Amino acid sequence: MSAIQLLWSLGLVIGGPPLLLGVIHKTKAILTGRIGAPVLQPYYDLWKLLQKGAVYSRTTSWVFRAGPLVSLAAFLTAALFVPLAAPSTLLSFWGDVVLWAYLVGVARFITVLAALDTGSSFEGMGASREVTFASLAEPALLVALAVIAKVTGSVQLSEMFGPVLGSAWRTAGPALALAAASLFLVLLAENARMPVDDPTTHLELTMIHEVMVLDHGGPDFAFILYGSALKLFLFGVLLVRLLMPVHIGVPWMDLSMLITGLLGLAVVIGVVESSMARLRLIRVPQLLVTSGVLAAVGLLLVWR
Amino acid sequence: MTLFLSALTILGVSAGCAALAGRNQRWVTIWGVGGAVIGCFLGLMPAIHALTTGALPPFRAAWQVPYGEFFLVLDPLSAFFLLPIFGVSALAAIYGSEYLKPFSTHRSLGPISAWLNILIASMALVVAARNAVLFLVAWEVMSLASFFLVTFEDEREDVREAGWTYLVATHLGTAFLFVFFTLLGRHAGSMDFDQLTAISAASPTLAVVLFLLALVGFGTKAGFMPLHVWLPEAHPAAPSHVSAVMSGVMIKLGIYGILRTLTFLGPPPAWWGLTLLMIGVTSGVLGVAFALAQHDLKRLLAYHSVENIGIIALGMGIGLLGQSAGQPVMSWLGFSGALLHVLNHSLFKGLLFLGAGSVLHATGTRELDRLGGLFKAMPWTGTAFLVGATAICGLPPLNGFISEWLIYVGGFHGFLAFTTRSGMWLGLGIAALALIGGLAAACFAKAFGTVFLGSPREAQAHSVHEAGPAMLIPMMGLAGSCLAIGLWPHGVVQFIMPAISSITGASLPVDAAGIASTLAGLRLVSATAALLLCITLALVVLRRLLLKTRPINQAFTWGCGYAAPTAQMQYTASSFAQPLGRLFQSVLRTQSHEQAPAGYFPDSAHRTSHTPDVATTYLFLPLFARIKRGLEALRWLQQGRVQLYLLYIFLTLVVLLVWKLGV
């Protein structure tokens, strides 16, 4: 990877994530007939939050303060494995896909603990729901990744989502389509998006992610918002790479294709969010099991 | 070998002296704990030596027991198991010296100290023994010593009950081992292990029978589902440092037994691997599901041992599948993951039980729903417990992740290489491992969250206090080892490499390139772990800079405008686990009793729930009841008259005489 490419991808991974949120918000606004906030609003929000002081609950310990930092650090580390500029990544080895999935797990674990540290019943409830749904999303994610691994013959993210996929779509298209559908459901669940969680309302008893971070403010909350945008970005990159496996070979063209794909994905998420209501919480496990079943059917298909 | 023998002697002698010292607490501590520490230290040296240089010269001494011989060998596999035996036990003994102090007012501490040292010595003897009779003797001493340790507080009814359950289970397991070793001895014409090789080539049927017997006999000790029933009873009943030794170390000897058996049996058929894989999936998923339903901290930890034994079995299954399919790298990955998880589990489970012990010591209760907010009063215990909890969930940058990663990668390796149906099963294994990981994280968020975080749910009966240095130092040592293995995995894997190749090397060529690429991967895992820590530190600095000139205030937890929150309003462990419990209701069969509030001015309402073990309730209790009914038909034999019993003896002798002479 050349130095220019490295700078490009670093810039994209650091600067890009909030834009996705902005596009989602704008799409929702347009579909509901509003003008909506500017596309760059998430950046203004982050900037404003970074200017603020902090208020901590007397109940909390250092675990609460570690929550936003450790989870953001885990996402930043996970970003190094995701194939941004062409197929190559900064860090890559045989089996890194497991490490990637578990880094996301680290972020979730510390966020849940930070929520429990406040002693608030609302946050406890959010934490309980988060771990429930995550433990169902995790197998679905790994089975979907296993389908891709089987098709591409690799368990290395840069190879799994690399140029091999293009020819793999021709031989194992249906299986990859099922894996992509499964990944999309996992993406919605993991990133607290609509049919699972409603990211726009705080303080309602029906929330998962938003209620867990209720007591954070100032720079801590900025880290959390940025971290969750980054998480959406990372899952999005994998999905876009899976669905648009074309490699031209010219770095800037590949990169702009990725960006186009991500923006398209953000619009799709916006459409899903505007056209669907949040599921009843007892229906969410069914959705996640469906996602697992889709991936498992994909597995059966590649297994000749 | 001299060092090893002197370690055993010191442990034995100090046990005797501690027992004799009886009520004099100072002497008990000096003899018991001192002996344990010195003995373990002496024992660790030959273990490390054998791991680095290969097997030490064997030790043989004649013995007057029939078929027996005092035959010891320290090969890399034995030496590997000696690491947790001596390492974790010594730390537990130090911890015990302070933990047991409150008991010294009303009972003698000599026996428990003595039994602990005997337990350590017998465990060491089990892994070093190379003669079946010696092995069984050591195995029985180990079981009995741990029985007396479990029943330390024998004035309590539940402890006695747990002790009996353990005794029955362990002896049923040993019964299978007797048959196992008798068959082995008959086949080889000797009870010495070095006479036993490649049985499956000579006699495939016998190998199958032996494999199944070993699976039941050793599996009972290891705690495979559904043979695990003694575990959730015995671990909570025992004093915490004993639970740490039993759960961290002793149940691993079941794993040792199976691994040692595999070295005799020769090339395995694929279904052995699949069997272990299925045992692993069942024990892993059900173990963690039952853990989620528990309200008792130590019982929860006990079920997590079932889960982790499942993960180890999964690794062994992958290893065996690789062996039978001629995939050296897959086999190596599976067995190295299983072995490393043995070591890792002994570290973090030992740590968690010691942490639970400190909580019990400080508050007097193990009930999750009565604890809370202990982090403020016990910051060090809390931090150590958090390290253990993160490690057991298999999250980077701690050691649990490393062994799970090896097992995952081994599974993926076979999954990509196989075209047969066993590849599908490996896919199931990978999905199960992911499910186990997710559920374990849920369970430890619940355990750590309800015990240490938030605010206290009840005014504690005792004044809560941080554990003393003799309890904290062992916990810190274990937490440090968890972090060290997580940050330096390639070094540790290289260190235990001889033990791994002693299992895999027998029937497969070594694939040096495959192993080298795994080690290179582990180096990058450790680099990533270091990077994670560095980025976190950088963010800490960044936040400090941002907040430097701005106000930092303290306030109440935001309760959506509600101004008078109480600790009672926090989420409890039960409510936290409720959604997951409902998903698993068909296996858990949680029973709840409730009296709902009724009327306009309800005066009383309550709700209790209880999750009995599914194997006990639906398998063993009905089975034992049926056996009892069947045997009742024979009751007329026992009349209570001595003359009649003499007649039975006489008749038996006549029958035997006729049988032997009459032909």
Side-chain angles (χ1 to χ4, degrees):
Chain A
M1 192 186 291
S2 69
I4 299 285
Q5 258 176 299
L6 184 71
L7 281 180
W8 252 104
S9 13
L10 275 181
L12 183 63
V13 85
I14 291 172
L19 185 65
L20 290 185
L21 294 184
V23 173
I24 294 177
H25 290 160
K26 199 72 182 174
T27 313
K28 285 167 78 173
I30 292 171
L31 285 178
T32 47
R34 293 178 285 124
I35 296 170
V39 176
L40 295 182
Q41 186 63 41
Y43 293 95
Y44 307 148
D45 290 348
L46 287 177
W47 183 247
K48 187 180 70 187
L49 284 169
L50 285 174
Q51 309 291 315
K52 293 195 170 193
V55 183
Y56 294 109
S57 159
R58 283 189 196 94
T59 319
T60 57
S61 60
W62 63 261
V63 174
F64 178 79
R65 298 181 190 213
L69 305 181
V70 174
S71 61
L72 179 55
F75 291 133
L76 285 171
T77 317
L80 301 177
F81 292 96
V82 170
L84 284 175
S88 55
T89 57
L90 283 176
L91 262 177
S92 180
F93 56 93
W94 182 265
D96 59 4
V97 63
V98 179
L99 179 57
W100 187 81
Y102 273 66
L103 279 171
V104 177
V106 170
R108 182 189 308 126
F109 189 62
I110 193 77
T111 310
V112 165
L113 288 186
L116 287 173
D117 201 12
T118 59
S120 145
S121 47
F122 299 112
E123 301 205 23
M125 187 165 53
S128 160
R129 288 167 181 171
E130 171 86 7
V131 296
T132 306
F133 300 148
S135 57
L136 294 173
E138 196 117 315
L141 173 67
L142 268 155
V143 176
L145 289 172
V147 174
I148 302 167
K150 186 71 189 171
V151 168
T152 57
S154 174
V155 279
Q156 197 164 350
L157 278 174
S158 58
E159 288 178 15
M160 286 167 68
F161 293 90
V164 195
L165 264 182
S167 55
W169 269 99
R170 279 191 285 281
T171 53
L176 284 180
L178 285 169
S182 168
L183 268 184
F184 184 65
L185 291 182
V186 170
L187 177 142
L188 293 179
E190 281 279 319
N191 291 290
R193 306 314 303 190
M194 196 44 147
V196 176
D197 189 1
D198 190 345
T200 50
T201 55
H202 297 254
L203 287 202
E204 292 290 330
L205 300 188
T206 52
M207 298 307 105
I208 306 167
H209 180 76
E210 295 300 326
V211 77
M212 277 204 298
V213 298
L214 202 59
D215 258 277
H216 291 282
D220 288 305
F221 194 52
F223 290 151
I224 287 176
L225 285 184
Y226 178 70
S228 49
L230 182 56
K231 185 180 185 184
L232 179 66
F233 180 84
L234 296 179
F235 274 88
V237 169
L238 292 191
L239 194 60
V240 167
R241 281 266 171 227
L242 175 61
L243 291 173
M244 299 168 57
V246 189
H247 289 275
I248 305 161
V250 187
W252 70 266
M253 285 174 87
D254 278 334
L255 209 56
S256 42
M257 250 182 53
L258 177 69
I259 295 170
T260 322
L262 280 171
L263 294 177
L265 179 70
V267 173
V268 171
I269 294 174
V271 172
V272 169
E273 295 215 341
S274 326
S275 56
M276 280 190 86
R278 197 183 50 71
L279 285 172
R280 283 176 68 201
L281 281 167
I282 50 169
R283 297 274 171 240
V284 173
Q286 295 174 3
L287 181 78
L288 290 168
V289 170
T290 308
S291 156
V293 169
L294 286 177
V297 173
L299 207 57
L300 287 174
L301 284 181
V302 288
W303 213 269
R304 69 200 75 196
Chain B
M1 197 48 92
T2 329
L3 277 175
F4 182 70
L5 287 173
S6 46
L8 291 187
T9 319
I10 286 174
L11 285 166
V13 170
S14 64
C17 294
L20 288 178
R23 277 199 162 272
N24 186 334
Q25 217 228 315
R26 233 181 65 137
W27 280 109
V28 167
T29 309
I30 291 173
W31 276 112
V33 179
V37 172
I38 296 172
C40 289
F41 182 70
L42 283 182
L44 270 179
M45 287 198 284
I48 291 170
H49 188 213
L51 254 184
T52 45
T53 62
L56 299 178
F59 175 84
R60 278 172 189 270
W63 202 16
Q64 286 187 335
V65 181
Y67 308 111
E69 193 183 11
F70 203 83
F71 179 21
L72 302 179
V73 178
L74 286 189
D75 65 352
L77 187 60
S78 307
F80 171 78
F81 276 87
L82 285 176
L83 298 179
I85 290 177
F86 286 132
V88 175
S89 307
L91 293 176
I94 298 173
Y95 180 95
S97 68
E98 185 178 326
Y99 179 75
L100 290 174
K101 259 181 198 152
F103 293 95
S104 66
T105 49
H106 57 280
R107 61 192 313 150
S108 155
L109 295 184
I112 186 168
S113 205
W115 284 120
L116 184 62
N117 289 9
I118 291 175
L119 175 65
I120 302 172
S122 61
M123 289 192 298
L125 199 57
V126 163
V127 295
R130 284 299 180 281
N131 175 281
V133 179
L134 178 62
F135 183 94
L136 282 174
V137 170
W139 189 264
E140 269 305 285
V141 173
M142 175 179 91
S143 301
L144 288 177
S146 45
F147 166 73
F148 287 114
L149 288 168
V150 168
T151 52
F152 172 61
E153 291 176 76
D154 55 5
E155 70 277 4
R156 280 169 40 196
E157 164 128 34
D158 58 326
V159 169
R160 290 199 299 272
E161 187 103 351
W164 288 125
T165 310
Y166 173 54
L167 202 64
V168 170
T170 186
H171 277 128
L172 282 179
T174 312
F176 281 88
L177 292 184
F178 266 103
V179 182
F180 170 78
F181 280 116
T182 314
L183 285 176
L184 261 182
R186 238 177 69 128
H187 171 78
S190 159
M191 290 300 224
D192 286 352
F193 287 2
D194 53 356
Q195 308 291 325
L196 313 162
T197 42
I199 293 166
S200 68
S203 156
T205 341
L206 178 68
V208 169
V209 174
L210 288 176
F211 176 71
L212 293 177
L213 283 171
L215 221 49
V216 178
F218 290 122
T220 311
K221 185 61 82 183
F224 289 162
M225 211 54 106
L227 305 169
H228 69 284
V229 285
W230 62 272
L231 249 145
E233 305 297 326
H235 285 352
S240 299
H241 66 299
V242 173
S243 320
V245 172
M246 284 178 69
S247 177
V249 186
M250 194 186 74
I251 61 171
K252 304 303 163 26
L253 297 193
I255 299 294
Y256 167 78
I258 293 175
L259 288 175
R260 180 62 73 193
T261 310
L262 290 175
T263 62
F264 307 146
L265 292 185
W271 68 267
W272 292 7
L274 284 182
T275 309
L276 270 172
L277 191 74
M278 284 306 117
I279 290 175
V281 169
T282 322
S283 303
V285 175
L286 291 185
V288 68
F290 273 97
L292 263 166
Q294 302 308 317
H295 311 303
D296 176 325
L297 181 56
K298 284 179 75 178
R299 221 175 142 81
L300 179 149
L301 292 178
Y303 272 112
H304 271 287
S305 296
V306 179
E307 174 225 323
N308 278 280
I309 287 289
I311 295 176
I312 294 170
L314 205 66
M316 292 199 294
I318 290 171
L320 276 179
L321 273 176
Q323 221 169 7
S324 70
Q327 296 274 351
V329 177
M330 174 187 174
S331 164
W332 185 86
L333 283 167
F335 281 121
S336 62
L339 268 192
L340 189 60
H341 206 73
V342 165
L343 181 63
N344 287 343
H345 182 248
S346 74
L347 295 173
F348 52 65
K349 186 48 72 64
L351 169 60
L352 289 167
F353 265 117
L354 296 187
S358 299
V359 170
L360 180 61
H361 195 264
T363 62
T365 180
R366 308 190 300 245
E367 257 180 77
L368 290 173
D369 288 343
R370 297 176 57 195
L371 294 164
L374 292 184
F375 212 83
K376 295 250 163 52
M378 310 173 73
W380 293 107
T381 306
T383 307
F385 197 93
L386 178 60
V387 170
T390 317
I392 199 173
C393 296
L395 294 173
L398 289 155
N399 59 352
F401 175 72
I402 306 299
S403 38
E404 287 194 25
W405 182 80
L406 286 167
I407 295 174
Y408 263 118
V409 176
F412 268 118
H413 198 95
F415 178 74
L416 297 184
F418 285 179
T419 48
T420 53
R421 192 166 296 158
S422 33
M424 270 322 264
W425 293 115
L426 284 173
L428 175 72
I430 290 167
L433 207 50
L435 180 64
I436 295 169
L439 291 175
C443 194
F444 273 95
K446 161 185 141 169
F448 181 74
T450 38
V451 173
F452 289 100
L453 302 177
S455 46
R457 286 182 177 73
E458 282 186 6
Q460 305 298 346
H462 307 268
S463 58
V464 177
H465 54 89
E466 178 60 285
M471 286 162 77
L472 275 181
I473 290 169
M475 287 196 270
M476 291 301 148
L478 289 170
S481 336
C482 288
L483 191 62
I485 296 182
L487 290 177
W488 193 56
H490 46 282
V492 177
V493 170
Q494 261 165 338
F495 177 64
I496 66 166
M497 190 88 91
I500 304 166
S501 22
S502 71
I503 313 168
T504 59
S507 57
L508 278 180
V510 181
D511 185 333
I515 294 172
S517 87
T518 306
L519 286 176
L522 280 179
R523 273 202 191 91
L524 284 175
V525 168
S526 93
T528 314
L531 199 64
L532 178 65
L533 295 182
C534 289
I535 297 180
T536 310
L537 277 183
L539 288 173
V540 170
V541 173
L542 176 65
R543 181 173 63 187
R544 186 157 293 170
L545 287 177
L546 282 170
L547 291 177
K548 207 169 180 182
T549 53
R550 308 204 190 115
I552 301 176
N553 295 318
Q554 300 263 312
F556 285 117
T557 293
W558 172 240
C560 301
Y562 185 68
T566 71
Q568 293 289 322
M569 291 163 59
Q570 287 178 101
Y571 239 48
T572 59
S574 317
S575 43
F576 187 79
Q578 189 264 349
L580 276 168
R582 199 167 51 191
L583 286 180
F584 285 93
Q585 180 58 29
S586 53
V587 253
L588 292 177
R589 295 167 185 275
T590 300
Q591 301 157 0
S592 54
H593 311 279
E594 64 178 0
Q595 186 194 335
Y600 291 114
F601 300 101
D603 48 17
S604 75
H606 65 84
R607 183 175 193 282
T608 53
S609 71
H610 171 59
T611 309
D613 194 278
V614 72
T616 314
T617 328
Y618 298 98
L619 180 64
F620 289 109
L621 285 182
L623 182 70
F624 285 148
R626 184 162 294 180
I627 292 174
K628 193 179 158 206
R629 266 204 305 280
L631 292 179
E632 265 165 14
L634 295 174
R635 209 167 242 183
W636 56 271
L637 278 170
Q638 194 176 10
Q639 306 271 6
R641 272 188 234 138
V642 180
Q643 301 94 310
L644 216 59
Y645 296 158
L646 285 175
L647 184 67
Y648 294 159
I649 295 172
F650 178 70
L651 282 178
T652 313
L653 285 176
V654 169
V655 169
L656 284 177
L657 217 62
V658 171
W659 183 44
K660 273 287 164 194
L661 300 177
V663 186

